[in-house]
C-alpha cells in the first residue's frame, strides 16, 4: 500500500501555462454552446405553446386548428429572435456560421413541434 506522499508524487498536477489557457478557452466555448442550445430549446417550447394558444380552437374531428399557419410563423420568429437573446446574454453571435444557425433552427423546430403536437394531443383526449 502506498503512503499519501507517494500518491501525491504519482498524480499529475494541473497543467500550467499554455495548456491551462487552452483548457479554459475550451471550457468557455463549451459553456457558450450549452447556453445556445438551451436558448434554442426554451424558445422552441415557448413558441410551441404560443402557437397552440394563438392558432385557435382545435377541431375535434380533424385535430387541426383553423389558423395553423400562424404557428409556423411563430416558429420562424422564434428562430430569428434568438439573435436578440444572444445579444442580451452577451454571446458572440457573429462567430456563428451557417451550420450553427441550422442547428439552432433545427433544435427550435424540434422542441416547437413536440410541444405544439403534445398540446394538440392533450386537447383531443
Amino acid at each position: 500500500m502506498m503512503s499519501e506522499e507517494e500518491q501525491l508524487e504519482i498524480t499529475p498536477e494541473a497543467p500550467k501555462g499554455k495548456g491551462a489557457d487552452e483548457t479554459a478557452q475550451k471550457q468557455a466555448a463549451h459553456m457558450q454552446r450549452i447556453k445556445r442550445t438551451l436558448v434554442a430549446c426554451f424558445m422552441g417550447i415557448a413558441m410551441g405553446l404560443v402557437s397552440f394558444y394563438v392558432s385557435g380552437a382545435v377541431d375535434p374531428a380533424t385535430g387541426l386548428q383553423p389558423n395553423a399557419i400562424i404557428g409556423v410563423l411563430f416558429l420562424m420568429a422564434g428562430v430569428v429572435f434568438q439573435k436578440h437573446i444572444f445579444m442580451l446574454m452577451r454571446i458572440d453571435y457573429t462567430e456563428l456560421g451557417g451550420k450553427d444557425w441550422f442547428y439552432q433552427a433545427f433544435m427550435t423546430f424540434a422542441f416547437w413541434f413536440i410541444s405544439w403536437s403534445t398540446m394538440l394531443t392533450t386537447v383531443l383526449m
Side-chain angles (χ1 to χ4, degrees), residues 6-18:
E6 291 173 304
Q7 287 179 351
L8 289 176
E9 290 176 7
I10 295 173
T11 56
E13 293 182 13
K16 295 179 182 175
K18 184 179 177 184

Side-chain angles (χ1 to χ4, degrees), residues 59-122:
D59 181 15
T62 62
L64 299 174
Q65 291 177 303
N67 300 321
I69 192 70
I70 293 174
V72 177
L73 293 175
F74 273 108
L75 166 66
M76 289 186 234
V79 172
V80 172
F81 191 64
Q82 288 180 38
K83 176 182 172 184
H84 302 289
I85 293 175
F86 292 159
M87 283 190 257
L88 291 173
M89 293 178 66
R90 290 184 168 76
I91 296 175
D92 186 18
Y93 65 90
T94 58
E95 67 184 22
L96 299 178
K99 185 173 84 169
D100 297 316
W101 282 112
F102 179 77
Y103 173 76
Q104 290 295 124
F106 176 76
M107 291 299 292
T108 306
F109 166 76
F111 278 86
W112 168 82
F113 184 77
I114 290 168
S115 61
W116 194 16
S117 59
T118 301
M119 294 295 290
L120 288 171
T121 305
T122 57

